[in-house]
Amino acid sequence: SEYTIFYIHGGGFASGSTAGCAKYLIQMATEICQRGMKCSVLSVDYDLSPEARFPTALRQISAAYTYAVTLGKPIFLIGDSAGGHLCLSLLRHIHTPHPQVKEIPVPQIPELMVLISPWVDLKNIGESVRRNAPFDCVDKATLDRWSRQYLGPSGTLDSHTDHLNAKNSWQGVLPKYTLMIAGEFECFVSDIEHLAIAIKIVSPGS
């Protein structure tokens, strides 16, 4: 293969697995290869909350990404929902290593990133969280519970988890190209739109 797709599954940090999205990943890789881009897929399973709290998942994903870099191929970083959040955490770690996570020896930024309905803000205070609750499969109470389980009792956010904090610039952190996909009636859409604006400022190709 010529490219490595590095995929991080979603599930509120509390569920989900590579096995659960295997059919989708196989279909995606097949269609990409049919378009002339030979690729392999590395999908990462990580320990789930509440047993595993931040930064456990980031630590495991960083170790898997370190291996992906050794393959010597351009990397396409893709994640959905909580997996999209972890994609952003991984990029932040590549740029500024988290003090509790081993530094990636060769800090290779992915060739591009695709975020599918990413869970951007773990505070869950975006306007669409309440507006779209009747239409989505999750609600604020569920999201708040998952967030507490992932972050721990203090619920403290830092530069690797607070992706909408204006103090945490994305300059030099992102791939050249970023694609974010969101539905009009999902809870995350307003936060995704705010992140898209912040990313557009420093990455015009996104």
Side-chain angles (χ1 to χ4, degrees):
S1 64
E2 300 170 349
Y3 302 91
T4 298
I5 295 175
F6 189 89
Y7 191 88
I8 308 175
H9 70 78
F13 307 109
S15 64
S17 67
T18 293
C21 56
K23 184 176 180 180
Y24 159 70
L25 294 175
I26 292 170
Q27 180 67 27
M28 176 178 64
T30 299
E31 293 190 14
I32 291 174
C33 288
Q34 288 174 347
R35 286 163 172 77
M37 299 178 67
K38 296 180 180 179
C39 64
S40 56
V41 178
L42 174 57
S43 180
V44 185
D45 279 332
Y46 49 90
D47 289 345
L48 303 173
S49 65
E51 291 78 12
R53 294 173 175 167
F54 180 81
T56 300
L58 177 58
R59 186 178 296 118
Q60 294 168 338
I61 287 165
S62 175
Y65 189 83
T66 297
Y67 167 74
V69 170
T70 67
L71 300 177
K73 303 170 186 176
I75 297 172
F76 298 165
L77 179 61
I78 306 177
D80 71 274
S81 193
H85 188 281
L86 285 165
C87 285
L88 296 168
S89 297
L90 175 63
L91 287 179
R92 184 70 67 182
H93 175 63
I94 293 171
H95 182 268
T96 307
H98 189 282
Q100 298 178 46
V101 180
K102 185 177 180 180
E103 185 174 347
I104 296 175
V106 181
Q108 175 184 330
I109 297 177
E111 194 80 2
L112 58 83
M113 176 171 66
V114 178
L115 303 180
I116 306 164
S117 299
W119 186 4
V120 173
D121 186 8
L122 300 185
K123 297 186 294 295
N124 308 310
I125 57 175
E127 186 269 336
S128 61
V129 172
R130 295 193 181 279
R131 183 190 71 215
N132 290 338
F135 311 109
D136 209 332
C137 61
V138 294
D139 57 23
K140 179 172 172 54
T142 301
L143 293 171
D144 286 345
R145 184 176 74 254
W146 286 343
S147 180
R148 287 193 301 271
Q149 290 175 348
Y150 179 64
L151 294 173
S154 67
T156 303
L157 296 167
D158 62 18
S159 61
H160 291 73
T161 53
D162 195 0
H163 300 320
L164 285 187
N165 191 330
K167 296 180 181 179
N168 302 326
S169 171
W170 291 103
Q171 186 71 47
V173 178
L174 299 165
K176 183 177 181 180
Y177 300 106
T178 297
L179 171 65
M180 291 191 290
I181 302 169
E184 179 182 0
F185 296 108
E186 67 174 85
C187 287
F188 295 148
V189 64
S190 60
D191 291 332
I192 294 170
E193 289 172 342
H194 289 144
L195 179 62
I197 292 171
I199 287 178
K200 197 74 174 178
I201 292 172
V202 300
S203 182
S206 298

